Amino acid sequence: SNPDAFNSLVPSLIPGLLRPTRTHFFLKLLNEKRLLRRLYTQNIDGLEVATGLPHEKVLNWHGSFNDAHCVTCKHQHHLQWYREAVLNKERPTCLAPKGDGVCGGYVKPDITFFGEAIASE
C-alpha cells in the first residue's frame, strides 16, 4: 500500500549488488554432481542463479527480482528500467498504452509482499 517505503529498500536488494556466499556455490556444486533436483527458496535476491545455477532448477517461493510487472495491468517492464527509476528516487509507473494515455499503475518486481497471495505457478 506504500510503494515509496519499499522503493527506499530496493537499492540494497537489486541483483548485482550482493554476492553469492559459499553456500550458494555449494548448491551449484550439488547441481553439477547431479545431486540437486530442485531448489526451493524464500530468498528474493537471486543469488542462487547468480552462481550459474539454472533458472529452471530454482523455485523462488516469494518471487524474485528477475522481472517487474505493473500491479494494475500486468504489463512486463525491464528490470533495468525499474532499477534506474528507483535509484533515481522516482516512483516506477507503468508506461503501457491505455486509452489516450498510459496505464500509470505501480510497477514492482515479481516478489510477494506480506499479505499477498503466493503465485500459483
Side-chain angles (χ1 to χ4, degrees), residues 11 14 39 53 55 85:
I14 290 180
L39 173 66
L53 193 62
H55 284 274

Side-chain angles (χ1 to χ4, degrees), residues 16-107:
L17 301 177
L18 301 174
R19 300 178 71 143
T21 66
R22 290 179 183 168
T23 304
H24 294 108
F25 284 104
F26 176 69
L27 295 168
K28 179 185 176 194
L29 179 63
L30 289 176
N31 184 61
E32 289 170 352
K33 295 193 175 287
R34 299 181 185 267
L35 297 171
L36 182 71
R37 284 189 179 181
R38 179 156 305 163
L39 173 66
Y40 296 88
T41 180
Q42 293 186 44
N43 297 332
I44 61 171
D45 53 26
L47 293 177
E48 298 83 6
V49 174
T51 66
L53 193 62
H55 284 274
E56 54 273 1
K57 288 279 183 132
V58 180
L59 187 124
N60 294 292
W61 187 250
H62 291 285
S64 72
F65 275 91
N66 292 334
D67 274 321
H69 285 81
C70 174
V71 298
T72 304
C73 73
K74 309 297 183 219
H75 180 77
Q76 181 177 1
H77 292 268
H78 291 285
L79 188 60
Q80 185 61 33
W81 169 85
Y82 173 83
R83 179 181 183 164
E84 288 174 12
V86 171
L87 292 177
N88 290 326
K89 300 191 183 326
E90 300 168 0
R91 182 181 284 184
T93 55
C94 184
L95 304 173
K98 183 177 182 182
D100 291 337
V102 295
C103 171
Y106 174 62
V107 176

